[in-house]
Amino acid sequence: MSFFHARPRRLRTTPAMRRMVAETRIHPASLVLPVFVQEGIDTPVDIVSMPGVQRHSLDSLAKVASDAVSAGLGGIMLFGVPTEEHKDPSGSYGVDENGILNQALRRVRSEVGDEIVIMADTCLDEFTTHGHCGVLDSEGRVDNDKTVQIYTNMAVAQAQAGAHMVCPSGMMDDQVESIRFALELDFHDVGILAYSAKYASAFYGPFRDAVACSLTGDRRTYQMDPANRREGSYEAEIDISQDADMVMVKPAGYYLDVLSDVARLSPVPVAAYQVSGEYSMIQAAGQRGWIDAENALRESVLCILRAGADVVLTYGAMELAGEK
Ligand code: PBG
């Protein structure tokens, strides 16, 4: 092939030309909206560190869910924010069928049925007094196997409450296998979206505000070291071998190498989570007039898809679907 007179600019001449040849597109069905539901509030509360994002009451959550259906989104991912009295060292309110997250799942399922994929965060950090994603041993370390037992009960309770997919995000070893085994009994159609390559990231800061997480310290003994690329593939392979229906890379935008590796090796669909810090930095710069937030958000999600994600979780899902 000779490149003597190559003029690749021809395909960039008009919007119609560019649209026709675009290799990657943002489609609402590929987007999942994470939603916070807070116990004990009647009206939505703004989250200061996440412009445009709110914590919802059970009623306003129902409206968000039906709006997400109208927008054609792929799914919504629910996170529960309990009152302080409902936190304890083992996060038992997360498992309780009347805990805020399970109530929210029942409410959303009765509101929208199977019109959208209802996903549940299967993790304890919102529900524990110490803010860790699991229970602590006598030395104060997160006890892997005891935590997995609790996740497993939590997943069954979430399936019972109406989740189409449970989403273990605590990075405990063998969490997928144990949950899969328990779901086989009565809920073999409930899927597992595994947070496989989840890194110990500073970009979760605004989220921890949003869920009023009580954590002091960090999660570096269970979440992955941002220095590691190969380990992301290893974690995804383990979860796939344990029958995860989908795997995830998180955060997304700063981990496109890991995402691209996982997308290449994975026989199951791959999700990527554009986390609170990634979202809020764009919004904050936009508010100052330093960046065009709408275009930056679109570009950031496009790039995550381009790197190989099949599904993107983003707080900007409704804007990207053109509904807000
Ligand atoms: C843990 C969890 C976290 C996020 C989603 N699930 C926080 C953490 O690991 O500390 C972060 C999401 C975000 O920053 O948007 N249940």
Side-chain angles (χ1 to χ4, degrees), residues 22-308:
E23 296 175 38
T24 309
R25 296 176 209 281
I26 300 177
H27 191 283
S30 306
L31 302 176
V32 172
L33 178 68
V35 183
F36 302 104
V37 56
Q38 182 171 6
E39 181 174 29
I41 58 170
D42 299 323
T43 46
V45 177
D46 289 340
I47 300 168
V48 176
S49 56
M50 299 179 71
V53 182
Q54 297 175 312
R55 297 187 208 166
H56 287 278
S57 65
L58 287 169
D59 287 334
S60 65
L61 169 70
K63 164 97 168 63
V64 170
S66 62
D67 289 349
V69 171
S70 314
L73 296 191
I76 54 173
M77 166 78 85
L78 302 190
F79 292 94
V81 186
T83 56
E84 287 299 317
E85 311 83 85
H86 280 139
K87 294 185 179 183
D88 65 23
S90 62
S92 57
Y93 199 59
V95 182
D96 191 328
E97 64 171 315
N98 292 316
I100 182 66
L101 180 52
N102 288 326
Q103 282 190 52
L105 288 165
R106 276 197 297 278
R107 181 66 190 270
V108 168
R109 185 67 185 264
S110 73
E111 189 76 20
V112 297
D114 294 332
E115 297 295 306
I116 191 166
V117 180
I118 302 167
M119 303 174 167
D121 182 52
T122 311
C123 194
L124 294 175
D125 59 314
E126 292 92 311
F127 298 99
T128 54
T129 35
H130 44 74
H132 275 292
C133 295
V135 284
L136 306 181
D137 65 16
S138 54
E139 319 272 291
R141 291 172 306 210
V142 174
D143 185 320
N144 192 89
D145 297 8
K146 286 209 179 86
T147 300
V148 167
Q149 268 319 307
I150 301 175
Y151 286 175
T152 303
N153 297 335
M154 189 177 192
V156 171
Q158 292 174 339
Q160 190 106 50
H164 294 106
M165 297 192 100
V166 297
C167 308
S169 64
M171 290 303 284
M172 296 302 128
D173 294 334
D174 276 350
Q175 57 187 11
V176 172
E177 179 174 56
S178 175
I179 290 171
R180 170 62 73 213
F181 192 76
L183 290 177
E184 273 302 300
L185 225 49
D186 293 316
F187 299 104
H188 52 76
D189 284 339
V190 170
I192 301 175
L193 165 54
Y195 283 65
S196 300
K198 178 175 178 181
Y199 288 84
S201 173
F203 293 99
Y204 304 149
F207 175 94
R208 292 191 190 158
D209 262 8
V211 299
C213 180
S214 319
L215 182 73
T216 51
D218 60 52
R219 307 195 195 287
R220 291 179 187 275
T221 67
Y222 43 106
Q223 296 181 348
M224 290 172 57
D225 184 342
N228 295 354
R229 174 173 181 170
R230 182 171 47 203
E231 194 185 350
S233 296
Y234 179 48
E235 284 278 7
E237 278 170 348
I238 294 171
D239 288 350
I240 291 162
S241 77
Q242 297 183 358
D243 203 20
D245 298 281
M246 292 178 64
V247 292
M248 190 198 289
V249 173
K250 174 184 176 185
Y254 292 92
Y255 292 81
L256 296 183
D257 53 343
V258 178
L259 176 57
S260 162
D261 291 349
V262 171
R264 216 174 289 236
L265 72 84
S266 178
V268 299
V270 177
Y273 196 143
Q274 180 178 56
V275 301
S276 54
E278 298 179 77
Y279 169 85
S280 291
M281 288 193 304
I282 292 173
Q283 300 304 328
Q287 285 181 344
R288 293 183 183 201
W290 292 352
I291 205 171
D292 175 340
E294 202 182 311
N295 277 325
L297 179 72
R298 188 164 293 281
E299 180 179 330
S300 65
V301 169
L302 190 70
C303 294
I304 293 164
L305 290 162
R306 191 196 62 223

